[in-house]
């Protein structure tokens, strides 16, 4: 079993930056491919970014490309999402997710473990 806990969310003005963290515990060796998703009020869960076990492969949603940076530090069991040039449309609950297998994917239903979410609110 793997436990995931997000932190770093909060209230920020448009154009500002935030760094989200995801701490993994338990059987962390079972946390292979990882990703970030978000869900805004009244909208479906949305893919943001994923990263492979080694960090050598990365993918971003079009909405995140050029503004967000995903990274991980396996020695510390941490994954990060650095967000800059934030927009009001980025307002959502952000979730950390992990798979037991190495294969990466944008599909939320294929992830095995989820954090509780952290709220990001961007004011205009």
């Amino acid at each position: 079993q793997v436990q995931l806990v997000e932190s770093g969310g909060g209230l920020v003005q448009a154009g500002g930056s935030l760094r989200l963290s995801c701490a993994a515990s338990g059987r962390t060796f079972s946390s292979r491919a990882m990703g970030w998703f978000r869900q805004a009020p009244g909208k479906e869960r949305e893919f943001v970014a994923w990263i492979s076990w080694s960090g050598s492969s990365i993918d971003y949603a079009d909405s995140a490309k050029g503004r967000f940076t995903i990274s991980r530090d396996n020695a510390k069991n941490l994954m990060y999402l650095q967000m800059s040039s934030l927009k009001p449309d980025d307002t959502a609950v952000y979730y950390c997710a992990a798979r037991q297998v190495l294969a990466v994917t944008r599909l939320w239903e294929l992830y095995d473990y989820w954090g509780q979410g952290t709220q990001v609110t961007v004011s205009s």
Side-chain angles (χ1 to χ4, degrees):
Q1 188 67 258
V2 174
Q3 294 80 47
L4 303 175
V5 179
E6 304 95 335
S7 62
L11 176 64
V12 64
Q13 291 184 335
S17 299
L18 283 174
R19 185 178 68 178
L20 306 183
S21 298
C22 173
S25 60
R27 298 183 64 184
T28 55
F29 52 84
S30 294
S31 178
R32 303 305 186 193
M34 298 187 72
W36 288 96
F37 295 79
R38 68 187 185 186
Q39 188 164 20
K43 299 179 68 176
E44 299 294 324
R45 191 178 334 190
E46 178 185 26
F47 165 76
V48 177
W50 59 244
I51 185 168
S52 65
W53 171 252
S54 68
S56 61
S57 297
I58 291 172
D59 188 32
Y60 298 99
D62 288 343
S63 61
K65 195 171 302 180
R67 299 188 300 124
F68 294 3
T69 301
I70 189 171
S71 61
R72 66 191 296 170
D73 185 342
N74 290 345
K76 298 180 179 179
N77 299 129
L78 290 173
M79 181 179 66
Y80 304 99
L81 185 68
Q82 177 67 49
M83 305 185 294
S84 62
S85 301
L86 284 164
K87 307 172 182 179
D89 284 348
D90 295 319
T91 296
V93 176
Y94 283 71
Y95 296 94
C96 169
R99 302 193 74 194
Q100 293 179 336
V101 299
L102 291 169
V104 293
T105 180
R106 291 184 170 198
L107 302 178
W108 65 266
E109 60 266 33
L110 296 183
Y111 284 79
D112 301 298
Y113 307 108
W114 292 86
Q116 83 289 344
T118 185
Q119 177 70 49
V120 172
T121 303
V122 184
S123 62
S124 60

